[in-house]
Amino acid sequence: MFTQRMVYCILPPYLLREIAQRGSPAQRASAQRAIIAAEQVRSQRRTIQANSAPMEAVSAAGKQRYVYDAKQSSVLPGILVRKEGAPAVSDPAVNEAYDGSGTTYDLYYAIYGRNSLDNNGLKLDSSVHYQKGYDNAFWDGQQMVYGDGDEDLPAPERLFNRFTIAIDVIGHELTHGVTQFAANLDYSGQPGALNESISDVFGSLVKQYQLKQTAGQADWLIGQGLFTSNVKGVALRSMKAPGTAYDDPVLGKDPQPGNMKDYVNTVEDNGGVHINSGIPNHAFYVTSINIGGYAWDKAGLIWYKTLTEKLGNQSNFQNAADLTYAAAGELFGTNSLEQNAVKAGWAEVGIIIGGQTQEGCFKATLRKLGLSGLLKG
Amino acid sequence: MRISYERSGGFMGRKLNFSVDLEELPNDQAETLNRLLQQADFFNLPKDLISRPVPDEFNYIITVETATQSHRVRVSDSSMTDPLRPLLDDLFQRARTGKG
Ligand SMILES: [Zn+2]
């Protein structure tokens, strides 16, 4: 097993330079050492395996977690029940929110050099036990909010467990915070589905990072463990096989497409943001499998760089494809294995790098019928 | 009077729809719903209470139709008002159990 001190990644030069410029004194010193080491090794055309010393220096700095109990009400944040450094309490939801936000912080900090959601040490507030029978979790722009599922129904009728039970859900919610401070993607239509997908991507990476799983070993499910045994399904979504996570008499069938040809046009759910996210989700999965190893190392880094440096609030799937391809080129070289993996990942979901933004089937049909005016206003 | 409840969005993006005719309900339940509508001042609420989209929260559309008027209100978890919440809670319990 790995311990916290070990290094799972090869920090790319650009990221080391970032840390060297913007990090804490300890981070800057270790980044400088790593840059020198990287340059020495690069000249021999070998990959570096950083030693454990730099990582030790950057561990646990700036992590500020606060967990509140909303006591089944809608009043946020509720009563403070655990803060940074305090021991575990008897309530599992509190500890899950605390530990999950900690692992999420660690992934962003250790691998991408990001100090919390705003890259400036923002405190991480979580409220558990929100409302009664609340089968959901959300990021309200300032904090994470988790419901207890169907805790108030008789056991045979329950469909959902508490939402802190799945660490990828916690990583998903926190990543909405990262996105808000980075690309700030509109929460509607394709930019919204991209926003959702980025939360699934890094939510899944948080889980893989915690379990130390390679891309090949990971389950690529979102929300595994959230369904009770009354539900016919394994999770809420599958990045590996969108549309296959559940098929249940009460909940219906997982509606996610995994290809542009199946893109769902709808006005509900802000334009199907939780449905069409299956398309970029699957592109990330294929990219990760094609690269191999730990998905957070390279595929995750490409997506992170794209999210924080390239995407804008109106970016659509085609933009994401083109910009991840560009980021992969900058990080790993033109025509590198990694860049080709990105290209193949998007091709698998029907998006060609450098292609035209496709108008949806719905829009195309309206245009052919001379009814494009309906889309305006 | 007919009340429709449509919930969308949420982490899972699953729809939950439900509607009820007050005339078909036992008297006490119909009275409760009438009281909750009055408490919310429903017919005077703005059509859309959502000022900004919040990732993963639920969105709700409540439609009330009577012989003389019809009103539709869009609201979400974070934009919910205290007078409106008890109505939503009541409708949610009916919707999730499928009991009218
Ligand atoms: Zn989300």
Side-chain angles (χ1 to χ4, degrees), chain A residues 134 136 173 237 268 274, chain B residues 10-11 15 56 77 85 96:
Chain A
Y134 192 73
N136 198 21
E173 295 311 329
R237 293 188 274 279
E268 283 167 342
H274 294 90
Chain B
F11 192 95
K15 283 182 285 188
D56 300 326
D77 291 312
R85 196 182 301 280
R96 74 195 297 213

Side-chain angles (χ1 to χ4, degrees), chain A residues 66-128:
Chain A
Y66 295 84
V67 184
Y68 299 83
D69 187 344
K71 303 255 176 202
Q72 300 191 309
S73 81
S74 309
V75 181
L76 293 173
I79 297 159
L80 180 64
V81 283
R82 191 175 173 194
K83 63 178 181 182
E84 189 63 41
V89 297
S90 60
D91 182 342
V94 172
N95 298 330
E96 286 161 356
Y98 183 89
D99 294 340
S101 50
T103 306
T104 305
Y105 180 97
D106 292 344
L107 170 74
Y108 276 108
Y109 196 71
I111 306 300
Y112 309 120
R114 187 177 189 87
N115 178 12
S116 192
L117 311 183
D118 61 349
N119 200 17
N120 195 27
L122 186 76
K123 66 190 175 77
L124 305 176
D125 289 335
S126 313
S127 294
V128 298

Side-chain angles (χ1 to χ4, degrees), chain A residues 172-173 176 187 196 199 274, chain B residues 11 55-56:
Chain A
H172 176 111
E173 295 311 329
H176 278 309
Y187 202 66
E196 268 306 310
S199 273
H274 294 90
Chain B
F11 192 95
D56 300 326

